[in-house]
Amino acid sequence: MTASKTPFNKPSMVGKEVAYLQEAIDRGQLSGDGHFTRLSNARIAEMTGARCALLTHSCTAALEMAAILCDLEPGDEVIMPSFTFVSTANAVALRGAAPVFVDIDAQTLNMDPEKTAAAVTDRTKAIFAVHYAGFPADMDALAVIARDHDLLLVEDAAQALGSTYKGRPAGSLGDMAAFSFHETKNIISGEGGALTLMRPDLVERAEIIREKGTNRSRFLRGQVDKYTWVDIGSSFLPGELVAAFLYGQLEQAEAIKLRRLALFDRYAEAFADLAGAGRVRLPVAPPDTTGNGHMFYLLLRDIEDRDAFIAHMRAAGIITPFHYVPLHSAPAGRKHARFIGNGLPVTDDISARLVRLPLFYGLEDGIEGVIEVAQRYFEQEV
Ligand SMILES: *Cc1c(COP(=O)(O)O)cnc(C)c1O
């Protein structure tokens, strides 16, 4: 292994990003909802099979829009995993509503539908399902719960662009979905995101919320003759430079996915023997899903094993971070979320044992070195 560092993630240019930035400047509109925003919205709607896609400046922003569209009020509850990024819970807490954390399934690391059903109360308004590592949650089971209790079903699909569940793409599996184009995700624009909608009746309100609570979108389409303040909202839309960069990436989405999946498969092959021997556990695709190569993780024996692995890799200049600190144990989680009596044992266990390996477009040159160093960690103990 060379002395040079292998980062966990490295953003890459993959297509016409720079040419499109120049084109956006030449077109003379740098604010949002111009040429490249329209192209990106259409492309994301096509990729996800959603009725409508709206670029936002982050997945966090898309989740905040979703929370407004759910009409959350103080006292309302939203069921979600604790094993997720803070934005899933923040969006709910910002409305004065309470995140209610449920445990994950030990195999899929996605929220457990049985625990979800058990967490429903008469204050429950929505389920926010996270597709961890890009593998979709069990959306049919969650949809049944949502239908039975008249709840909205929101996908936190931040990691899941290009993944499928029973042949249907992430982004078309609930009432709405939030995507991220943060530079650590598969398709990037630095910061960026999108909200996709499956329900036509939510589209017009989503446009209004995204445009500071005004009906500017209808005005631009000539449907009203002046625009005005009609609802609550904020500035959730990115400028055209972000959209232009993003569109360069979206055009290459399939190629990016295939390259990431090849890296994922190479890791899976390299650690198959260790997994077979029960030394590590590898990601498993939940039934009827396909992933998008977003993340490859190993589950080690316990936190000591995991931390020793991270230190071993770091000594060779390879960055292998752990992931979420469970939100139910975080200070803001304790303050804003509803408490669960018996804790979340699977979440606590998995979060202590999980480590993520470098996986990014262009890692082809470095992946064998990562594997070699990692395998040395396991060899040293026998
Ligand atoms: C990355 C991520 C987010 C936040 O995305 P941003 O675009 O950075 O706001 C939210 N939820 C999950 C599950 C994520 O992985």
Side-chain angles (χ1 to χ4, degrees):
M1 191 65 194
T2 62
S4 70
K5 285 221 181 320
T6 304
F8 171 64
N9 178 62
K10 196 162 84 181
S12 276
M13 305 275 196
V14 297
K16 296 187 184 153
E17 294 93 332
V18 174
Y20 289 158
L21 285 169
Q22 186 61 53
E23 186 183 335
I25 292 165
D26 295 343
R27 281 173 173 273
Q29 179 185 344
L30 298 185
S31 62
D33 277 341
H35 175 72
F36 285 105
T37 303
R38 282 192 293 275
L39 287 176
S40 296
N41 287 347
R43 173 68 67 136
I44 294 163
E46 185 191 317
M47 288 172 70
T48 58
R51 299 286 172 91
C52 163
L54 297 169
L55 284 197
T56 58
H57 49 73
S58 63
C59 179
T60 302
L63 288 164
E64 288 174 20
M65 286 182 63
I68 296 173
L69 285 165
C70 289
D71 277 322
L72 299 182
E73 289 170 14
D76 289 342
E77 298 175 355
V78 174
I79 305 172
M80 65 179 68
S82 166
F83 192 62
T84 182
F85 190 58
V86 296
S87 298
T88 327
N90 258 327
V92 170
L94 278 166
R95 308 307 314 150
V100 174
F101 295 128
V102 294
D103 217 346
I104 50 173
D105 176 87
Q107 286 301 308
T108 67
L109 312 197
N110 283 327
M111 70 194 290
D112 183 328
E114 261 177 49
K115 307 243 168 75
T116 304
V120 174
T121 72
D122 53 11
R123 303 309 312 257
T124 309
K125 272 271 185 71
I127 298 170
F128 280 22
V130 177
H131 303 321
Y132 187 70
F135 287 113
D138 189 354
M139 294 302 287
D140 277 359
L142 296 174
V144 168
I145 301 166
R147 195 190 57 213
D148 287 352
H149 298 277
D150 201 14
L151 313 176
L152 284 148
L153 182 54
V154 176
E155 301 173 66
D156 181 340
Q159 305 172 13
L161 189 67
S163 299
T164 66
Y165 173 84
K166 299 189 179 174
R168 292 175 282 144
S172 67
L173 306 173
D175 295 302
M176 47 195 140
F179 288 91
S180 176
F181 305 119
H182 184 265
E183 76 168 33
T184 51
K185 303 303 201 289
N186 291 21
I187 305 289
I188 63 171
S189 56
E191 306 282 348
L195 181 72
T196 61
L197 298 156
M198 283 306 278
R199 293 221 335 230
D201 57 314
L202 295 176
V203 171
E204 187 181 329
R205 183 150 187 243
E207 288 178 344
I208 288 168
I209 290 165
R210 178 169 166 274
E211 267 283 15
K212 302 105 184 161
T214 72
N215 55 359
R216 183 164 184 273
S217 297
R218 298 199 71 196
F219 171 73
L220 292 176
R221 288 195 295 264
Q223 293 166 328
V224 287
D225 58 11
K226 62 179 182 332
Y227 83 86
T228 185
W229 185 26
V230 294
D231 200 340
I232 59 166
S234 189
S235 182
F236 288 117
L237 71 167
E240 275 287 288
L241 293 176
V242 167
F245 189 100
L246 179 69
Y247 191 64
Q249 292 257 324
L250 285 169
E251 284 185 327
Q252 301 299 320
E254 197 56 30
I256 293 171
K257 183 167 93 173
L258 291 176
R259 279 180 71 165
R260 295 186 75 112
L261 284 171
L263 294 166
F264 182 102
D265 289 345
R266 176 66 192 115
Y267 276 138
E269 178 192 29
F271 296 107
D273 286 350
L274 284 163
R279 179 61 183 89
V280 295
R281 221 204 76 194
L282 311 183
V284 270
D288 296 322
T289 67
T290 63
N292 60 356
H294 175 62
M295 181 198 302
F296 191 90
Y297 61 79
L298 297 174
L299 289 172
L300 296 175
R301 284 185 176 135
D302 50 32
I303 194 165
E304 288 77 23
D305 191 25
R306 194 268 306 275
D307 291 352
F309 178 86
I310 292 174
H312 168 89
M313 299 300 285
R314 182 178 291 276
I318 301 168
I319 306 306
T320 57
F322 55 88
H323 211 183
Y324 304 127
V325 174
L327 297 184
H328 69 280
S329 65
R334 289 184 208 199
K335 183 165 170 202
H336 297 291
R338 216 190 73 193
F339 284 87
I340 314 288
N342 296 326
L344 304 172
V346 182
T347 298
D348 287 334
D349 174 54
I350 294 288
S351 65
R353 297 194 288 124
L354 185 144
V355 63
R356 295 175 292 162
L357 301 186
L359 206 171
F360 51 84
Y361 188 95
L363 180 65
E364 287 85 355
D365 293 340
I367 189 168
E368 294 308 322
V370 175
I371 290 168
E372 203 182 299
V373 174
Q375 284 175 339
R376 227 179 288 146
Y377 172 79
F378 299 105
E379 278 159 17
Q380 71 192 359
E381 62 192 31
V382 281

